[in-house]
Amino acid sequence: MALAVVIGWTPGAQAQRDPVLVPEVSQKEVQVRQGFTGTDLLLFGAVIDPQERAGKFDVIVVLKGPAGPIRLREKRQIGGIWMNADSTAFRSAPSFFAVASSRPIDQIVDERTAAIFEFGTDFIQLSPSGSIDLEEQARFRAGLVDLREQQGLYQTIEDGVSLREDVLYQARIRLPSNVQTGNYTAETFAVRNGRVLASAVADVEVRKVGFERFVEVFADRQPFLYGMVAIMLSLFMGWFAGRLFNRG
């Protein structure tokens, strides 16, 4: 009996009592072809609570695109002319970032938890390159978020997750036409009383196909030849346009 009690209280058995997330996405692969105008990605799944505890869940979905270095330049009007002034670089910034939640984030978790799990564009973890003043870093960070929000690449979708019977959930996130290719991660979190109780990740690949894929591979594998072809094509188009207008 003592052995049975010990087994019943092992960490593994305790972990099995925690809620479990079963995530899924409507498209494991998004194909970017000529004329691609964007697509809606449906993220759905279930939150399974073995103990069936009282209280409703909240669900937050964070969709991230490939991250990479970026340099930002700030323009200022000097002598009536807009010129590049200050600049800063970040070692890693997501090319796409979207957060959808069943309620406004500030009604689900506190700021500390939101910062840990990146629940919102205000909490994206950027790594500045070199020493930078905190106030200046905040200004450039806000500029980056604002720019990419205008491009549809950073999104905050409050009330963007619908729940059914506190078990099934679904969220719809728009991928614009200018999304970067690569691997995307969709991480789903189950939250109750301000605590993250479970999380799970689903992967999505965005890749070019057809002629766009050929150009991408050619530019990556043969950059010199790609540059020469681009120059020759530009010269030809300029010559052709000149001949065409001269005839008119």
Side-chain angles (χ1 to χ4, degrees), residues 134-206:
L134 292 179
E135 185 176 334
E136 183 179 358
Q137 178 183 343
R139 188 175 76 252
F140 276 100
R141 176 196 184 90
L144 172 64
V145 171
D146 181 66
L147 177 63
R148 291 195 166 175
E149 283 181 339
Q150 295 179 30
Q151 297 171 339
L153 296 173
Y154 284 5
Q155 307 172 23
T156 300
I157 313 169
E158 295 183 345
D159 299 322
V161 178
S162 60
L163 295 171
R164 183 177 179 183
E165 298 178 356
D166 292 326
V167 176
L168 304 177
Y169 72 88
Q170 70 172 25
R172 194 179 299 274
I173 296 177
R174 179 70 179 176
L175 292 179
S177 59
N178 55 339
V179 292
Q180 180 177 318
T181 57
N183 294 322
Y184 286 61
T185 58
E187 191 165 7
T188 305
F189 301 86
V191 185
R192 174 184 280 156
N193 298 328
R195 292 181 58 246
V196 175
L197 299 180
S199 65
V201 178
D203 295 323
V204 179
E205 183 181 5
V206 178

Side-chain angles (χ1 to χ4, degrees), residues 17-212:
R17 296 189 179 94
D18 291 335
V20 177
L21 267 168
V22 183
E24 191 54 80
V25 291
S26 58
Q27 297 173 259
K28 294 289 188 181
E29 180 182 273
V30 176
Q31 297 184 348
V32 178
R33 301 177 180 272
Q34 185 176 4
F36 177 72
T37 58
T39 187
D40 287 332
L41 196 63
L42 181 65
L43 303 103
F44 59 96
V47 182
I48 302 172
D49 186 2
Q51 290 188 327
E52 298 183 357
R53 286 164 286 194
K56 294 184 177 181
F57 283 105
D58 280 296
V59 172
I60 302 174
V61 178
V62 180
L63 180 63
K64 293 181 186 178
I70 184 173
R71 175 169 289 277
L72 300 175
R73 300 185 184 278
E74 186 178 49
K75 288 188 176 181
R76 292 182 183 175
Q77 193 171 16
I78 302 175
I81 301 175
W82 286 98
M83 302 178 62
N84 289 330
D86 296 336
S87 67
T88 190
F90 293 99
R91 289 192 295 267
S92 179
S95 59
F96 181 88
F97 185 92
V99 177
S101 55
S102 53
R103 289 188 295 160
I105 296 295
D106 58 1
Q107 297 180 15
I108 300 176
V109 296
D110 57 24
E111 284 194 7
R112 179 175 178 275
T113 303
I116 292 173
F117 294 99
E118 294 183 283
F119 289 159
T121 53
D122 292 337
F123 305 106
I124 298 176
Q125 297 176 5
L126 302 174
S127 302
S129 179
S131 60
I132 180 173
D133 180 72
L134 292 179
E135 185 176 334
E136 183 179 358
Q137 178 183 343
R139 188 175 76 252
F140 276 100
R141 176 196 184 90
L144 172 64
V145 171
D146 181 66
L147 177 63
R148 291 195 166 175
E149 283 181 339
Q150 295 179 30
Q151 297 171 339
L153 296 173
Y154 284 5
Q155 307 172 23
T156 300
I157 313 169
E158 295 183 345
D159 299 322
V161 178
S162 60
L163 295 171
R164 183 177 179 183
E165 298 178 356
D166 292 326
V167 176
L168 304 177
Y169 72 88
Q170 70 172 25
R172 194 179 299 274
I173 296 177
R174 179 70 179 176
L175 292 179
S177 59
N178 55 339
V179 292
Q180 180 177 318
T181 57
N183 294 322
Y184 286 61
T185 58
E187 191 165 7
T188 305
F189 301 86
V191 185
R192 174 184 280 156
N193 298 328
R195 292 181 58 246
V196 175
L197 299 180
S199 65
V201 178
D203 295 323
V204 179
E205 183 181 5
V206 178
R207 69 184 189 94
K208 293 182 179 180
V209 295
F211 180 72
E212 287 75 13

